[in-house]
Amino acid sequence: MKESIRKYALELGFSACGFAAATPLDSLRDFYRHFLEEERHATMGYLQRYASQRLDPQQLLPGVRTIIAVMMNYYPPALIPEEDNFILSKYAPGKRYPQYIKGKMVPISGLLASMGENVQSNIYVDSGPVLEKAWAQKCGIGWQGKHTIVINPRGGSFFYIGIILTTLELEPDLPETDHCGKCSRCMEACPTGAIDKPYQLDIRRCITYCTSVKNTTMPEEVRRNLRGRIYGCDICQDACPFNRFSKPSAETHFHPHPDLSKMSKKDWINLSRERFEELFAGTSVAESGYERLMQNVGYVSG
């Protein structure tokens, strides 16, 4: 059953699929508690409100037996030129992913339902109190690097993660081991010091958080170190040697608007609201809003 599910997931366009037993994440309790006590979660209050559920899948789906993790590649087919330009994170120009990937996962849930009586399954993609990265590692599809992003040993880290909780019992895979070793390139590359400890991120100093979340005040330290970034970052990921294995995604849903490759600094500075809506319709940039992006442009061009 497990291998037929994995094969089906790959046929649906996922890059990896793994399985883990749905046991509480007790080994992460102290780490998560310290993370919250040090207020590293910034304004993301839901991380504290749902801490208990995030550590115990039984609270999300009573009777859950198995966790399934899948990865979908979003690496763009061509990188937007950086010369005489401001910089967007590689995920930013693509269409919003949670609902799209959930739709891709629904057939997997249907397959699970056909494999037993009264099988129940819940799907999560950047939604709900689920520790996606911890489960991805337990399911054997990658490990959480020192920059806190999941790295697949054969494909790098430019992936979205989807999680299925199911009452169907399936044999677990071996968890992925940590391959970071003594490498600390991601930590050294971060210009704001947001990765101040291995495997720990201070969200308050993360460029991605500070340039994308509405109604946040960007600290002066971050503003001085944007390095031309107007939405998102990728500096730590670009520094990771495993991303030499990154390959362009075949999912056109994540491909940027073709006109973005023609933009220059002058175009960004003079970007109208109407043009913004053309370039970013359906993306997370549009969700953050025109004012947020133009504020960021002002920071890097001032």
Side-chain angles (χ1 to χ4, degrees):
M1 286 195 299
K2 185 177 77 170
E3 293 310 319
S4 63
I5 295 166
R6 196 192 321 269
K7 181 174 181 289
Y8 189 42
L10 298 179
E11 291 172 352
L12 290 169
F14 293 100
S15 302
C17 175
F19 304 80
T23 55
L25 298 170
D26 290 332
S27 62
L28 295 178
R29 289 190 186 278
D30 287 344
F31 177 90
Y32 200 67
R33 178 171 55 82
H34 288 305
F35 174 81
L36 295 172
E37 288 176 351
E38 294 173 4
E39 299 183 350
R40 289 172 172 264
H41 57 300
T43 60
M44 298 181 180
Y46 63 88
L47 295 178
Q48 188 161 34
R49 287 195 299 274
Y50 302 109
S52 177
Q53 294 96 317
R54 292 172 75 82
L55 293 166
D56 184 3
Q58 289 290 339
Q59 295 186 37
L60 300 176
L61 179 61
V64 61
R65 306 297 293 274
T66 305
I67 308 292
I68 303 173
V70 294
M71 302 180 91
M72 180 163 282
N73 179 16
Y74 68 84
Y75 197 82
L79 300 181
I80 297 172
E82 295 186 6
E83 185 177 352
D84 186 33
N85 203 358
F86 299 131
I87 302 171
L88 298 163
S89 176
K90 294 175 184 62
Y91 83 89
K95 296 289 192 294
R96 286 281 292 160
Y97 64 92
Q99 289 303 320
Y100 179 77
I101 296 179
K102 279 185 178 180
K104 288 272 191 177
M105 295 170 70
V106 167
I108 301 175
S109 181
L111 178 58
L112 295 170
S114 71
M115 291 180 165
E117 293 186 9
N118 301 316
V119 174
Q120 297 180 44
S121 302
N122 289 350
I123 297 173
Y124 298 92
V125 182
D126 197 20
S127 63
V130 177
L131 288 176
E132 294 98 339
K133 293 182 281 189
W135 286 116
Q137 183 157 357
K138 282 187 171 292
C139 289
I141 63 174
W143 79 96
Q144 195 167 346
K146 290 181 181 177
H147 50 21
T148 75
I149 301 167
V150 172
I151 304 169
N152 180 277
R154 292 168 296 280
S157 62
F158 294 100
F159 292 94
Y160 295 127
I161 299 170
I163 300 293
I164 298 177
L165 277 62
T166 180
T167 56
L168 185 67
E169 186 168 13
L170 297 162
E171 180 185 356
D173 290 328
L174 292 174
E176 183 58 81
T177 55
D178 189 318
H179 299 286
C180 288
K182 296 181 180 180
C183 179
S184 58
R185 294 184 195 178
C186 60
M187 299 178 65
E188 295 162 4
C190 180
T192 64
I195 315 169
D196 55 351
K197 301 175 185 177
Y199 311 102
Q200 295 192 46
L201 177 69
D202 188 337
I203 295 174
R204 296 167 296 187
R205 288 188 278 168
C206 177
I207 290 175
T208 292
Y209 170 80
C210 290
T211 56
S212 62
V213 177
K214 287 183 178 181
N215 304 319
T216 57
T217 301
M218 188 179 296
E220 180 61 30
E221 177 187 8
V222 175
R223 197 180 304 178
R224 291 196 311 267
N225 289 284
L226 289 172
R227 297 186 183 178
R229 280 153 177 80
I230 56 174
Y231 195 95
C233 183
D234 289 342
I235 289 175
C236 64
Q237 296 196 79
D238 290 338
C240 177
F242 280 93
N243 277 321
R244 69 186 184 275
F245 301 126
S246 298
K247 296 179 181 178
S249 172
E251 295 287 340
T252 57
H253 185 83
F254 304 134
H255 292 181
H257 191 293
D259 288 354
L260 284 172
S261 63
K262 306 171 186 176
M263 296 289 285
S264 66
K265 291 181 179 179
K266 182 179 178 181
D267 295 324
W268 287 114
I269 292 169
N270 296 307
L271 185 69
S272 69
R273 186 181 294 273
E274 292 73 23
R275 186 59 171 153
F276 168 86
E277 292 173 355
E278 290 176 5
L279 294 172
F280 296 110
T283 70
S284 60
V285 183
E287 189 172 288
S288 295
Y290 175 75
E291 290 77 11
R292 170 84 268 188
L293 183 69
M294 296 311 294
Q295 184 180 55
N296 296 338
V297 170
Y299 290 150
V300 297
S301 60

